[in-house]
Amino acid sequence: MPQAICRLCLQHRELKESHIIPAFVFRWLKETSGTGYLRFSDKPNLRAQDGVKEYWLCGCCEQLLAEEAETPFANEVFHPLCSEEKVSVEYGPWMLKFAVSLSWRAAHFLCSRGELTHFDDQQKAALIEALERWRLFLLGQVPHPGKFEQHILPLHGEISDWPGGAPPNLNRWAQRNPEMDIASSPGTCYVYVKLPRFLFFGFIKVDKPKDWMGTKVRVKGGRITPSAYQLPAGVGNYLKYRMIRCSQVQLRISVRQKQRINQTFRDHPDRVANSDAFRALRRDVLAFGKQRVLRADDET
Ligand SMILES: [Zn+2]
């Protein structure tokens, strides 16, 4: 175990290996994949077993985030809505901790990979300020994240259309794909973390926060429900770009990999037919037509 400075408490301690996107997400994806394997968009030809991990946190901080953020989100929001046992759930103050922990980890990770070349100096300064505010909030040293707000857009249930149209992998992207990014345009930059059925946005510098309607994660608690949400048009376009990117990466799966997937389908037809992954595919076929969905999948 490496000894180094923990990124949360800033103490010199033994560090644990921890996930950027929480481990329960990858466990669930694997269990509901139909094939028992995961595929991630950056490496479509490798059946990844797990998400990205880094030695960043000491045992105490890892435990703090697990207890105060991840476990309640997994038990009270993620699993009930992903299994589709419920369409609406209440959340407590832990929701904001969870959202901040996602933004904080993803921003650190993307910075460490040098993915901020598109940021101007003002945006870089805002990010440094956001990271520190989020760190203090996670440690309970400030009562809320201030202007570095967290927003959530739930994507559970069947999605039959999208403002301005969407590519024919809309439901598979919404239900299944995990990803993260830092997006910026003049007047708007945020951390973006997508989990199966949920989008999270951590504001770094957003000039018009009131253009985001119904999405703000409340400090004391609130409700996740399929009600009306509204995002600025630029964010809607960005999400469409993410869907297209996801479908293009899926198309790069090699012929050999497709054969392995098809073999799994043939060996375990019931498991595949009852899986969440297949439910997402079925929804895309219903929304966009068999021809569009399957033609897109055969274009390699
Ligand atoms: Zn620590």
Side-chain angles (χ1 to χ4, degrees), residues 4-13 15 56-58 61:
I5 302 287
C6 167
R7 294 198 182 203
L8 191 56
C9 66
L10 306 182
Q11 303 296 309
H12 194 268
R13 297 221 166 117
L15 300 187
W56 278 359
L57 301 178
C58 70
C61 288

Side-chain angles (χ1 to χ4, degrees), residues 103-118:
S103 296
W104 182 78
R105 286 185 210 232
H108 267 295
F109 177 74
L110 294 162
C111 286
S112 72
R113 296 285 169 109
E115 296 199 16
L116 294 180
T117 47
H118 55 309

Side-chain angles (χ1 to χ4, degrees), residues 28-293:
W28 179 84
L29 278 169
K30 191 176 166 188
E31 286 162 14
T32 58
S33 67
T35 62
Y37 295 101
L38 299 177
R39 266 164 215 285
F40 295 118
S41 46
D42 287 342
K43 288 181 184 166
N45 287 332
L46 292 175
R47 293 203 280 200
Q49 296 293 321
D50 217 333
V52 184
K53 289 179 270 191
E54 298 281 352
Y55 285 96
W56 278 359
L57 301 178
C58 70
C60 291
C61 288
E62 183 68 24
Q63 198 181 346
L64 176 83
L65 295 186
E67 286 174 5
E68 291 196 356
E70 288 176 17
T71 304
F73 175 79
N75 293 341
E76 297 185 39
V77 176
F78 184 82
H79 290 300
L81 295 187
C82 284
S83 65
E84 305 199 356
E85 282 167 17
K86 292 184 177 178
V87 291
S88 185
V89 289
E90 304 277 348
Y91 65 79
W94 41 264
M95 182 61 136
L96 191 54
K97 292 263 178 186
F98 179 71
V100 168
S101 76
L102 280 183
S103 296
W104 182 78
R105 286 185 210 232
H108 267 295
F109 177 74
L110 294 162
C111 286
S112 72
R113 296 285 169 109
E115 296 199 16
L116 294 180
T117 47
H118 55 309
F119 267 39
D120 61 30
D121 288 347
Q122 251 191 342
Q123 290 171 329
K124 281 180 189 160
L127 175 61
I128 291 167
E129 209 188 321
L131 283 171
E132 181 60 6
R133 180 77 188 194
W134 290 338
R135 189 183 74 81
L136 294 174
F137 174 71
L138 291 174
L139 290 172
Q141 294 177 15
V142 294
H144 53 73
K147 63 185 173 183
F148 307 108
E149 296 175 2
Q150 304 296 308
H151 289 245
I152 182 170
L153 180 68
L155 298 170
H156 58 296
E158 187 175 344
I159 310 175
S160 53
D161 59 1
W162 189 265
N169 65 328
L170 171 62
N171 284 278
R172 282 167 289 168
W173 170 81
Q175 270 183 230
R176 308 286 305 169
N177 199 48
E179 57 178 6
M180 58 185 142
D181 188 30
I182 289 195
S184 77
S185 58
T188 302
C189 73
Y190 48 82
V191 186
Y192 158 83
V193 178
K194 184 178 174 308
L195 306 184
R197 290 176 170 83
F198 300 96
L199 297 178
F200 286 88
F201 303 88
F203 283 9
I204 298 168
K205 196 170 186 314
V206 174
D207 291 349
K208 293 181 181 169
K210 292 211 161 38
D211 288 355
W212 301 61
M213 291 164 71
T215 53
K216 188 174 175 181
V217 180
R218 302 284 160 194
V219 178
K220 290 185 178 162
R223 193 167 184 79
I224 302 281
T225 180
S227 64
Y229 299 92
Q230 198 174 318
L231 298 175
V235 180
N237 291 337
Y238 169 75
L239 294 177
K240 204 162 149 182
Y241 153 76
R242 300 301 312 182
M243 293 171 209
I244 292 168
R245 185 180 178 275
C246 169
S247 72
Q248 286 170 340
V249 175
Q250 282 167 347
L251 293 178
R252 291 207 296 269
I253 294 175
S254 68
V255 172
R256 186 163 164 271
Q257 291 297 322
K258 277 191 174 175
Q259 285 168 348
R260 288 179 70 184
I261 298 171
N262 289 339
Q263 187 61 47
T264 309
F265 283 9
R266 278 194 293 273
D267 293 346
H268 307 282
D270 291 342
R271 195 173 80 191
V272 172
N274 293 321
S275 67
D276 187 73
F278 193 72
R279 176 158 56 187
L281 175 64
R282 203 162 47 222
R283 285 176 171 167
D284 278 336
V285 169
L286 280 172
F288 298 99
K290 197 173 173 182
Q291 215 181 356
R292 264 191 86 194
V293 170

